[in-house]
Amino acid sequence: MKKKTHLQSDQVSNRGNRNLGRLIMQLRRLERQPQIFGEAGSFTPSEIHTIEAIGYEGGVLMSELAARLDVTKGAVTQLIARLEAKAAVTRSPHPYDSRAIVISLTEKGKEAYRAHEEVHVQFYDELRILLSKQEIEIFENCIEKLNDFLGSKP
């Protein structure tokens, strides 16, 4: 087996850096663009991922939602205000704790949730055309490791 030279290793590293940079730019572009989610209409990625974090059954506390999204309570409050304006969520007082607020999806929010799930199914259907089962497993493992790595950074 041939040993890689320093130059070959640098070329692989440079290719990886370029591809990672391109991926980050694509993700940033996607993060800014609202998408249509069925009859529910247009939502930004942060809004639809908030809907996803609330869950179809809903009934999540604001503080729990902030923890699920790994953002501040203030950021969640702003997101919920935007989603309320779009009639996708409702706030209600907690039945036993007067300080707590419970967030639930409206029918429109549930429609957006279902449509978002369908986007994920379509994404994997397209991946299966491009990648083998083994490549998809490697992709998923790499994404998980990258998330763990990035999550450990300050």
Side-chain angles (χ1 to χ4, degrees), residues 4-85:
K4 281 189 179 180
T5 66
H6 184 65
L7 180 59
Q8 288 172 321
S9 182
D10 284 349
Q11 288 171 337
V12 169
S13 179
N14 287 338
R15 180 175 165 228
N17 286 339
R18 280 192 308 277
N19 285 332
L20 184 58
R22 286 179 52 216
L23 176 62
I24 290 169
M25 294 305 290
Q26 291 286 3
L27 291 172
R28 284 184 179 160
R29 181 183 57 81
L30 289 173
E31 194 63 27
R32 290 188 301 268
Q33 294 179 342
Q35 283 188 284
I36 304 295
F37 291 93
E39 297 294 317
S42 178
F43 293 91
T44 65
S46 58
E47 291 168 344
I48 200 66
H49 290 124
T50 300
I51 287 171
E52 180 182 44
I54 292 167
Y56 193 79
E57 297 303 318
V60 65
L61 296 173
M62 289 279 277
S63 56
E64 173 61 23
L65 185 55
R68 287 181 188 180
L69 294 170
D70 195 25
V71 297
T72 66
K73 290 178 187 173
V76 166
T77 300
Q78 290 178 354
L79 280 164
I80 294 304
R82 290 189 347 228
L83 290 170
E84 274 184 312

Side-chain angles (χ1 to χ4, degrees), residues 100-131:
I101 301 293
V102 178
I103 305 300
S104 299
L105 299 180
T106 63
E107 285 307 312
K108 184 176 180 179
K110 289 179 179 182
E111 168 60 25
Y113 183 95
R114 287 188 296 269
H116 183 245
E117 289 290 303
E118 184 58 32
V119 167
H120 283 249
V121 169
Q122 289 174 357
F123 175 77
Y124 269 92
D125 286 347
E126 290 175 22
L127 266 188
R128 282 186 201 88
I129 293 168
L130 296 172
L131 304 174

